[in-house]
Amino acid sequence: MNRTVKTHEDRKREILDTANELIDENGYEDTTIEMIINKIGIAKGTFYHYFRSKDDLLNNLVDELIEEVTQRIKEITDRDENAITKMFALSTYFRTLAIGRERFSDYLHEEKNAHIHMKIEQRVTPPLADCYTKLIEQGNEEGLFNARFPRETALAALGAAQSLTEGHHDHADKDHVDPQRSIAAMYIYERILGMKEGAMLEYMKKEEEKK
């Protein structure tokens, strides 16, 4: 029987994908290296050829998450759509980011893993701020926003978003949207972006009518 020989990258990808699958099923702490290698059918030494430890595997999973997020926000920013549409798309993306990997998200948000959460924020915030700056500049040109200082406005908008979602990380309320929180968020964003009151809600209604 011929044995399938996988490339270095293919084998590493298999280990990461299997780890993600098992973490979704069991949580990070209850997922062991033995479970991963048994599911794939490889020796323990093969695992350690790619990852020094389970913590090293975790760091790789976090790095992949960061890469996914940075690529996705750039893709949304580069779409051929108006600035408000893209801002709503970014909001939806972040609100639904953890769906399908809830247990991993819960683990990352535990107090003992604050350093990991900080690492994600430190690496995601700069490209996200760049994207928001571009969207605000675009919105100014389109006559949708009236923000005199796009970069500073972008940082203020991101700070407001973080404050409004404090204690409601990722998937925590995916099945329930607090109407008051949503209205408050739109009101605050309108003030920050220099829009007239009710402009965002009016825009949302128009978009719904198009569907």
Side-chain angles (χ1 to χ4, degrees):
M1 184 176 179
N2 293 329
R3 182 182 179 186
T4 302
V5 178
K6 297 196 174 184
T7 66
H8 179 89
E9 285 305 312
D10 285 345
R11 180 63 78 188
K12 183 177 182 180
R13 177 78 268 143
E14 182 180 35
I15 295 172
L16 289 168
D17 288 345
T18 302
N20 270 320
E21 182 181 340
L22 289 171
I23 290 169
D24 286 342
E25 294 174 359
N26 308 289
Y28 176 76
E29 291 184 326
D30 290 331
T31 296
T32 65
I33 292 174
E34 286 73 18
M35 290 167 66
I36 296 170
I37 64 176
N38 288 339
K39 188 173 182 65
I40 300 173
I42 58 175
K44 184 174 286 190
T46 302
F47 176 91
Y48 286 111
H49 175 71
Y50 294 92
F51 306 101
R52 296 186 302 275
S53 63
K54 189 181 173 186
D55 284 343
D56 186 33
L57 172 67
L58 174 62
N59 285 328
N60 275 263
L61 292 172
V62 170
D63 286 341
E64 284 209 330
L65 176 61
I66 292 170
E67 179 65 20
E68 174 193 328
V69 171
T70 53
Q71 289 295 322
R72 183 62 173 151
I73 61 178
K74 185 179 184 305
E75 182 273 321
I76 293 173
T77 304
D78 291 341
R79 289 178 184 175
D80 185 19
E81 298 171 332
N82 69 46
I84 297 181
T85 299
K86 290 191 275 191
M87 280 194 168
F88 275 114
L90 283 171
S91 176
T92 299
Y93 171 65
F94 280 107
R95 193 174 64 251
T96 59
L97 176 60
I99 296 176
R101 47 187 162 200
E102 289 87 351
R103 303 191 74 168
F104 187 47
S105 176
D106 287 339
Y107 178 75
L108 294 180
H109 281 86
E110 289 181 10
E111 186 175 351
K112 64 182 179 182
N113 296 319
H115 63 291
I116 301 176
H117 200 264
M118 184 175 294
K119 172 185 175 180
I120 295 173
E121 286 191 355
Q122 288 176 338
R123 287 179 55 185
V124 170
T125 298
L128 185 57
D130 289 342
C131 289
Y132 260 72
T133 300
K134 290 180 182 178
L135 293 184
I136 292 168
E137 290 172 343
Q138 177 187 342
N140 282 342
E141 293 174 2
E142 294 170 337
L144 298 170
F145 307 149
N146 182 24
R148 186 175 177 183
F149 304 102
R151 182 71 181 183
E152 290 74 14
T153 301
L155 295 174
L158 291 174
Q162 183 175 12
S163 296
L164 286 167
T165 56
E166 190 70 30
H168 296 265
H169 68 81
D170 299 315
H171 63 280
D173 57 357
K174 67 177 185 294
D175 296 321
H176 173 70
V177 177
D178 183 348
Q180 183 172 330
R181 182 178 293 270
S182 298
I183 292 171
M186 285 191 285
Y187 178 85
I188 292 167
Y189 265 76
E190 287 167 356
R191 304 271 90 52
I192 292 174
L193 296 170
M195 303 170 71
K196 67 176 183 178
E197 185 175 345
M200 281 200 166
L201 185 59
E202 181 181 333
Y203 174 79
M204 287 179 65
K205 288 180 178 178
K206 287 181 179 178
E207 289 299 300
E208 284 297 321
E209 290 172 358
K210 292 179 183 178
K211 295 179 180 179

